[in-house]
Amino acid sequence: MIWNLDLSKDLAEEVPLKLAATPLKERGLAIHEVVLPSTVSDQVPNGENLLKTDKATLKVGGFGGWMSHGTVLASVDKLRDGDVKESAGDWMDLKHIYWNALANRPVWAEISFGAPTDVSSLTIYEDRDRAETQPELAIVQAWNPGIQKWETASVGNFLQGPVRTFPLTLKGVEKIRYLPLTGYFDNFRMTEIEVRGNVN
């Protein structure tokens, strides 16, 4: 397909840049914006939250490197206390945000199970009052003890809204972790993490 763009009319204006600076809506032009649906659900599934019933434990952390140490400030207790409105606080220290974002060093929330567990979902609650801290891309990984490696179990893309439920079909896992992959310059502020499944 060949596109032809005729700028003659715009360049004939006395001050072309003034026209360019005028919002398209004021000029009567339509704005088309592509909005893709999220690959995860905004619904909270039924079932026992294993973090709430102490059948799973939660810890947070990050990857350290030059000018940052992988330290996460968010409160683990607040991320599992059942309150989906109160933020657990900023995940990264302000002086580490730039370096983590520049070097693409992820932070993570790791959930460990006391026994092999079949995991059906992971729900992340974002801070409703801080939309800029909500990542648009994140993944869930499961630990494979046989090869001593993390393997991607679910990818959340085009994430929208404060509630994100990752559907999972994991069998007999020891631990999983959640990693936001975008939005590091804006920090992160989650309110709650829930994991559902059955302990074997």
Side-chain angles (χ1 to χ4, degrees):
M1 178 181 290
I2 299 176
W3 291 87
N4 293 317
L5 181 62
D6 187 354
L7 298 175
S8 301
K9 181 179 178 180
D10 290 341
L11 292 176
E13 293 285 335
E14 185 175 347
V15 185
L17 289 181
K18 182 178 180 181
L19 181 64
T22 304
L24 294 179
K25 287 184 178 180
E26 293 183 13
R27 295 165 59 186
L29 300 176
I31 299 175
H32 300 279
E33 182 178 356
V34 176
V35 178
L36 297 174
S38 173
T39 59
V40 304
S41 172
D42 62 356
Q43 301 299 307
V44 179
N46 295 323
E48 178 185 15
N49 173 15
L50 302 181
L51 283 171
K52 188 67 174 176
T53 56
D54 294 326
K55 293 181 180 178
T57 58
L58 174 68
K59 66 178 181 180
V60 295
F63 295 92
W66 173 252
M67 297 298 288
S68 67
H69 310 296
T71 303
V72 169
L73 305 177
S75 167
V76 169
D77 290 336
K78 288 185 178 180
L79 285 171
R80 58 187 300 274
D81 65 0
D83 187 343
V84 300
K85 294 183 179 180
E86 183 181 6
S87 172
D90 289 335
W91 275 57
M92 294 177 289
D93 189 296
L94 291 178
K95 63 185 178 183
H96 294 162
I97 288 177
Y98 174 79
W99 299 105
N100 285 341
L102 192 67
N104 198 25
R105 298 187 193 116
V107 292
W108 44 261
E110 182 179 307
I111 299 170
S112 299
F113 308 98
T117 299
D118 299 341
V119 182
S120 58
S121 68
L122 176 72
T123 301
I124 304 295
Y125 294 83
E126 300 286 349
D127 189 333
R128 295 174 180 270
D129 299 324
R130 295 283 298 277
E132 74 279 4
T133 67
Q134 301 174 7
E136 296 179 354
L137 174 65
I139 62 173
V140 177
Q141 296 180 322
W143 178 250
N144 185 330
I147 59 175
Q148 294 290 294
K149 183 179 179 181
W150 288 100
E151 297 180 322
T152 298
S154 181
V155 177
N157 207 353
F158 315 117
L159 300 176
Q160 304 167 19
V163 180
R164 292 103 183 270
T165 294
F166 293 77
L168 301 168
T169 55
L170 299 171
K171 302 295 184 182
V173 296
E174 297 177 356
K175 55 186 177 180
I176 64 173
R177 68 179 182 182
Y178 166 81
L179 300 93
L181 297 182
T182 58
Y184 277 77
F185 282 109
D186 294 314
N187 215 333
F188 301 108
R189 286 180 65 87
M190 300 164 199
T191 63
E192 192 77 7
I193 297 176
E194 298 176 348
V195 62
R196 289 175 171 80
N198 296 303
V199 179
N200 295 332

